[in-house]
């Protein structure tokens, strides 16, 4: 009998351990869920479309617009438009770059007469970006005109980056687009460009994108796809070496300019790849569409996906880049660009006037045009996060915040410093003149509040009835 009880005890203990293990395993799996994917893209030829947008996906096929579907970066240099962004991470993850085509259709540029330069941003955290700069490219090529569709990849053979793009120039009597390459360490200067891809005769090539393949998963280390009329897929073991043609996308009905902006993405949780293509569908609508394959070196395995199997989100997704995120990167990105609505600050005692920026100075004005000059996204405070503080980010100048300097206000690009964060952070309190409205107390000068004086925004102590009215605002959409 005692032996039976002992056996029953062992069985009971095993069952308990089994259920305990199951109870622990599920939350552990949830906590250890892989981070997702980040897409940077533009949306189209409109003025606002030629800015940079972000989308996030947990599975690589269903995308959610970040920042409420509004731009996250724009350019005020060159043609003042950006398209075709590439997103580059340094091998050690300490730096990131976005390199984009400097081209604004409907802003004065044309496809024939574009820009010879690229627009470049730099970041150390993927969320705080530098002011952009122009990187000369086509101007370094004899007779070069436009610089389009930049891409870049780290080359371990030369310990620097290979930057490659399309430029139209005359070579051997033929004027067309070819893919050129150059080397760089910092995306501020590049080596003399060399022709990298030149299809026979007058056939042009505009969009090329390549990716590195994990070791041991195929016959080649690198893959590339080119918008060369046939949309050829090629493989190589050396970025600047010899490439072997593996076929083209005509086997799934994709030829000519029906395809632009190809971009590779490896699923992190399985042996499968997505090749996203900027696809001109039969209805004349151009947007990304995924092709899936378990063997990117075998074009016959490529499967163009039905619309029911993916979701590109609310904004059109045009020629961009996709990055597989680390957990830390994903946490920063999602915290930085929540779907916060655009709002305005209406003056309490001049109700026809709103806080607005004009040439990066800040004042209150009536009849603000464009209205975006008076729209802000009220973010958690750049300093004092978690304490109920707020910061004001411009809608039409993403990354720029209301900041006081010498008690005056300006719209300034956030540089990531603690001083800037403190200067741009405020405690939102009940309105000093009307408790149903709001006043904003300085985070680092708590005896002072945002107020207008002679219609300009100031940071002042408030001691009078007039001052309390000047320092009170209605937050409104």
């Amino acid at each position: 009998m005692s032996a039976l009880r002992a056996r029953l005890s062992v069985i009971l203990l095993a069952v308990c351990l089994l259920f305990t293990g199951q109870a622990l395993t599920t939350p552990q799996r949830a906590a250890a869920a892989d981070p997702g994917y980040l897409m940077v893209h533009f949306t189209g030829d409109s003025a606002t479309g030629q800015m940079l947008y972000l989308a996030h996906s947990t599975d690589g096929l269903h995308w959610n617009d970040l920042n409420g579907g509004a731009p996250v970066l724009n350019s005020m240099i060159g043609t003042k438009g950006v398209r075709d962004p590439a997103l580059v991470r340094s091998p050690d993850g300490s730096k990131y770059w976005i390199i984009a085509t400097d081209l604004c259709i409907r802003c004065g540029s044309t496809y024939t007469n574009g820009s010879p330069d690229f627009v470049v941003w730099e970041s150390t955290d993927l969320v705080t970006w530098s002011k952009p700069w122009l990187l000369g490219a086509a101007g370094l090529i004899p007779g070069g005109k436009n610089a389009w569709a930049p891409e870049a990849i780290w080359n371990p053979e030369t310990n620097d980056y290979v930057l490659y793009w399309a430029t139209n120039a005359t070579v051997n009597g033929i004027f067309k687009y070819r893919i050129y390459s150059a080397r760089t360490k910092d995306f501020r200067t590049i080596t003399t460009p060399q022709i990298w891809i030149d299809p026979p005769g007058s056939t042009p090539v505009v969009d090329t994108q390549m990716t590195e393949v994990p070791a041991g998963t195929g016959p080649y280390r690198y893959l590339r796809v080119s918008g060369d009329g046939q949309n050829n897929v090629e493989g190589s073991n050396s970025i600047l070496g010899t490439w072997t043609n593996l076929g083209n996308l005509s086997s799934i009905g994709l030829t000519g300019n029906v395809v632009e902006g190809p971009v590779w993405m490896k699923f992190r949780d399985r042996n499968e790849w997505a090749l996203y293509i900027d696809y001109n569908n039969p209805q004349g609508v151009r947007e990304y569409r995924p092709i899936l394959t378990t063997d990117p070196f075998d074009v016959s395995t490529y499967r163009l996906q039905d619309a029911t199997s993916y979701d590109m989100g609310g904004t059109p997704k045009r020629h961009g880049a996709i990055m597989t995120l680390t957990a830390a990167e994903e946490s920063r990105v999602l915290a930085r660009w929540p779907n916060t609505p655009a709002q305005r600050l209406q003056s309490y005692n001049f109700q026809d006037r709103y806080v607005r920026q004009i040439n990066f100075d800040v004042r209150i004005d009536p009849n603000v045009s464009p209205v975006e000059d008076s729209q802000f996204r009220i973010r958690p405070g750049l300093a004092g996060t978690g304490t109920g503080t707020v910061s004001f980010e411009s809608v039409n100048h993403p990354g720029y915040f209301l900041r006081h300097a010498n008690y005056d206000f300006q719209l300034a690009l956030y540089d990531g410093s603690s001083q800037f964060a403190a200067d741009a952070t405020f405690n939102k309190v009940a309105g000093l003149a009307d408790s149903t409205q709001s006043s904003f107390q300085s985070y680092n000068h708590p005896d002072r509040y945002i107020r207008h004086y002679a219609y300009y925004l100031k940071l002042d102590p408030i001691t009078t009835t007039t001052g309390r009215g000047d320092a009170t605002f209605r937050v409104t959409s």
Side-chain angles (χ1 to χ4, degrees):
M1 187 69 180
S2 60
L4 176 61
R5 281 199 300 269
R7 284 196 299 272
L8 288 173
S9 297
V10 169
I11 292 170
L12 180 61
L13 177 60
V15 170
C16 291
L17 288 174
L18 174 62
F19 280 104
T20 302
Q22 288 176 335
L24 292 174
T25 301
T26 299
Q28 285 171 348
R29 276 199 300 266
D34 287 333
Y37 309 84
L38 181 69
M39 179 187 293
V40 56
H41 64 95
F42 78 110
T43 65
D45 285 345
S46 68
T48 55
Q50 293 161 119
M51 300 179 184
L52 298 186
Y53 297 73
L54 291 179
H56 173 262
S57 175
T58 57
D59 65 0
L61 291 173
H62 298 81
W63 296 88
N64 294 307
D65 300 322
L66 299 184
N67 202 34
V72 300
L73 288 173
N74 66 358
S75 171
M76 299 302 293
I77 59 176
T79 70
K80 300 183 180 181
V82 285
R83 308 159 66 96
D84 318 327
L87 179 56
V88 182
R89 179 200 282 129
S90 66
D92 63 359
S94 64
K95 280 190 178 181
Y96 310 83
W97 294 269
I98 291 176
I99 310 105
T101 301
D102 173 31
L103 179 65
C104 188
I105 304 300
R106 302 181 186 173
C107 304
S109 302
T110 67
Y111 290 116
T112 302
N113 181 25
S115 170
D117 304 322
F118 296 126
V119 183
V120 185
W121 287 265
E122 183 178 279
S123 175
T124 58
D125 59 8
L126 200 58
V127 297
T128 303
W129 292 92
S130 69
K131 290 184 177 180
W133 67 84
L134 293 177
L135 174 63
L140 302 176
I141 298 167
K145 302 297 183 183
N146 301 331
W148 281 3
E151 298 282 350
I153 189 170
W154 175 257
N155 188 2
E157 294 179 12
T158 55
N159 202 38
D160 56 14
Y161 299 92
V162 174
L163 175 69
Y164 54 100
W165 69 93
T167 283
N168 50 349
T170 300
V171 177
N172 297 325
I174 299 175
F175 179 75
K176 67 175 185 178
Y177 279 97
R178 299 170 177 84
I179 302 298
Y180 288 79
S181 69
R183 293 164 52 193
T184 183
K185 289 184 178 294
D186 56 9
F187 299 99
R188 293 182 181 272
T189 60
I190 62 175
T191 59
T192 302
Q194 305 293 321
I195 294 176
W196 194 43
I197 303 176
D198 186 3
S202 60
T203 300
V205 56
V206 176
D207 294 341
T208 292
Q209 203 268 348
M210 67 174 298
T211 188
E212 185 174 1
V213 179
T217 59
Y220 298 102
R221 185 173 181 180
Y222 300 101
L223 273 167
R224 74 183 183 192
V225 180
S226 296
D228 55 5
Q230 294 300 312
N231 304 306
N232 282 296
V233 181
E234 298 171 283
S236 179
N237 287 311
S238 175
I239 294 172
L240 298 177
T242 301
W243 287 78
T244 300
N245 189 286
L246 305 176
N248 58 62
L249 301 185
S250 63
S251 62
I252 53 176
L254 300 178
T255 58
N257 64 3
V258 72
V259 172
E260 293 183 3
V263 58
W264 286 104
M265 187 202 80
K266 172 69 171 63
F267 290 97
R268 70 189 318 151
D269 60 344
R270 60 187 184 275
N271 184 32
E272 190 169 32
W273 292 76
L275 174 61
Y276 274 90
I277 53 169
D278 194 339
Y279 174 70
N280 193 16
N281 68 26
Q283 289 73 43
V285 177
R286 187 177 284 283
E287 187 180 38
Y288 265 135
R289 184 176 180 181
I291 297 168
L292 299 188
T293 177
T294 55
D295 185 358
F297 300 102
D298 183 356
V299 178
S300 69
T301 67
Y302 289 15
R303 310 180 310 279
L304 186 62
Q305 297 302 290
D306 183 83
T308 60
S309 65
Y310 66 93
D311 182 357
M312 297 310 300
T315 61
K317 307 293 185 293
R318 299 290 314 279
H319 190 156
I322 298 175
M323 175 180 287
T324 302
L325 295 168
T326 66
E329 289 168 343
E330 182 175 69
S331 177
R332 294 195 300 266
V333 165
L334 296 182
R336 173 65 180 87
W337 285 292
N339 293 336
T340 305
Q343 294 184 299
R344 306 173 79 192
L345 298 179
Q346 180 185 25
S347 170
Y348 167 78
N349 49 5
F350 292 90
Q351 294 183 17
D352 63 331
R353 292 176 180 262
Y354 294 82
V355 174
R356 61 91 54 90
Q357 69 85 22
I358 180 167
N359 296 323
F360 301 101
D361 201 0
V362 188
R363 50 177 293 132
I364 61 169
D365 272 344
N367 305 317
V368 179
S369 181
V371 70
E372 288 82 8
D373 283 350
S374 63
Q375 290 180 326
F376 301 89
R377 299 189 192 281
I378 302 180
R379 305 294 197 189
L382 296 175
T385 302
T387 63
T389 58
V390 298
S391 294
F392 300 92
E393 183 178 15
S394 170
V395 162
N396 56 355
H397 293 284
Y400 284 70
F401 289 79
L402 293 184
R403 178 195 186 178
H404 67 77
N406 297 320
Y407 307 128
D408 191 16
F409 274 87
Q410 58 186 329
L411 190 70
L413 178 66
Y414 180 41
D415 61 9
S417 70
S418 57
Q419 183 63 60
F420 188 112
D423 291 345
T425 298
F426 306 89
N427 296 303
K428 182 180 179 182
V429 300
L432 299 180
D434 181 343
S435 62
T436 66
Q437 299 191 29
S438 300
S439 293
F440 299 95
Q441 178 189 35
S442 170
Y443 174 79
N444 55 356
H445 295 277
D447 62 328
R448 294 173 180 260
Y449 292 78
I450 297 177
R451 61 91 56 94
H452 63 81
Y453 184 83
Y455 302 135
Y456 283 90
L457 239 58
K458 304 291 182 183
L459 193 71
D460 276 350
I462 304 300
T463 58
T464 67
T465 300
T466 298
R468 286 190 285 274
D470 291 347
T472 300
F473 301 90
R474 177 171 172 253
V475 179
T476 176
S477 58

